[in-house]
Amino acid sequence: MSKISKNTKIIIAAIAVLLPVVAVLAILHFRNMQERLEYHEDGSFMVILGDERVHVSMEDLMTLNPQELSASPRGSTRNFTGVPIVDVLGHSGLDYTQGASLTFSSIDGFMSGISMDEALNPDHAFIVFLEDGEPLYSEGGSFVRAPFMVVLVDDPFPNRWARYLFEVVIQP
């Protein structure tokens, strides 16, 4: 019978510890994803300031006078319909004026952010729900209905755009 080396024992012990940790994290992530999917199915996202949470629905956005806009990331023009983020913040009723920045979280775990100065520019930062007149949906991906996306018109690259928007957090 061959002996198991000390390094092999360490690796086996590490795997034995890591497997349950990974399993627990996967379960927590799945539960969090389920909650996020419920909001998308409901057609809403959240605006958060501290402990306050306000749900914003598609119907809410439609009352905020959506507008047509174009953005040209990477040189190709894309046409959207959406609402300036400043209008969404105002509609939320939260005191966003005390914030320094916004963080956007997407259902797929992507996060991005902008300064409050950018958010308050009604010609720069938008939450959109149509592209070329069609609702935003995932194309063969995990999110059948993904109705909201952050678009920053003046950014030459869409690196800070947040598709599958789930929440907007006002950061102090």
Side-chain angles (χ1 to χ4, degrees):
M1 183 181 277
S2 65
K3 291 184 176 182
I4 298 175
S5 73
K6 182 178 179 180
N7 287 342
T8 303
K9 289 179 183 178
I10 291 172
I11 291 171
I12 291 171
I15 290 172
V17 169
L18 288 176
L19 277 176
V21 170
V22 169
V24 167
L25 290 175
I27 290 167
L28 292 174
H29 178 72
F30 177 76
R31 288 181 182 159
N32 190 21
M33 185 69 91
Q34 288 301 107
E35 176 187 351
R36 291 175 178 214
L37 284 171
E38 287 175 22
Y39 286 106
H40 276 286
E41 289 304 314
D42 188 34
S44 66
F45 61 91
M46 291 182 285
V47 178
I48 300 170
L49 175 61
D51 293 334
E52 297 178 86
R53 294 173 173 256
V54 175
H55 293 268
V56 178
S57 68
M58 184 69 76
E59 291 78 23
D60 293 330
L61 291 183
M62 297 308 285
T63 67
L64 298 175
N65 301 314
Q67 57 189 337
E68 304 293 321
L69 59 126
S70 294
S72 299
R74 297 187 179 108
S76 65
T77 300
R78 295 172 66 183
N79 299 305
F80 300 99
T81 302
V83 176
I85 289 176
V86 65
D87 293 351
V88 174
L89 293 174
H91 176 79
S92 75
L94 299 175
D95 184 12
Y96 63 89
T97 60
Q98 302 304 309
S101 64
L102 297 180
T103 300
F104 307 110
S105 297
S106 297
I107 194 170
D108 62 356
F110 178 79
M111 294 181 75
S112 68
I114 62 174
S115 70
M116 190 57 76
D117 287 341
E118 288 178 285
L120 298 179
N121 181 343
D123 298 321
H124 174 66
F126 291 85
I127 295 178
V128 302
F129 50 88
L130 297 176
E131 183 171 4
D132 295 326
E134 297 292 324
L136 298 174
Y137 295 104
S138 117
E139 298 175 12
S142 302
F143 316 118
V144 177
R145 186 161 182 251
F148 307 108
M149 178 168 63
V150 172
V151 170
L152 305 173
V153 172
D154 300 328
D155 278 9
F157 301 100
N159 300 2
R160 296 188 302 158
W161 293 16
R163 191 169 179 109
Y164 315 126
L165 182 66
F166 169 62
E167 61 187 21
V168 177
V169 180
I170 302 167
Q171 302 289 340

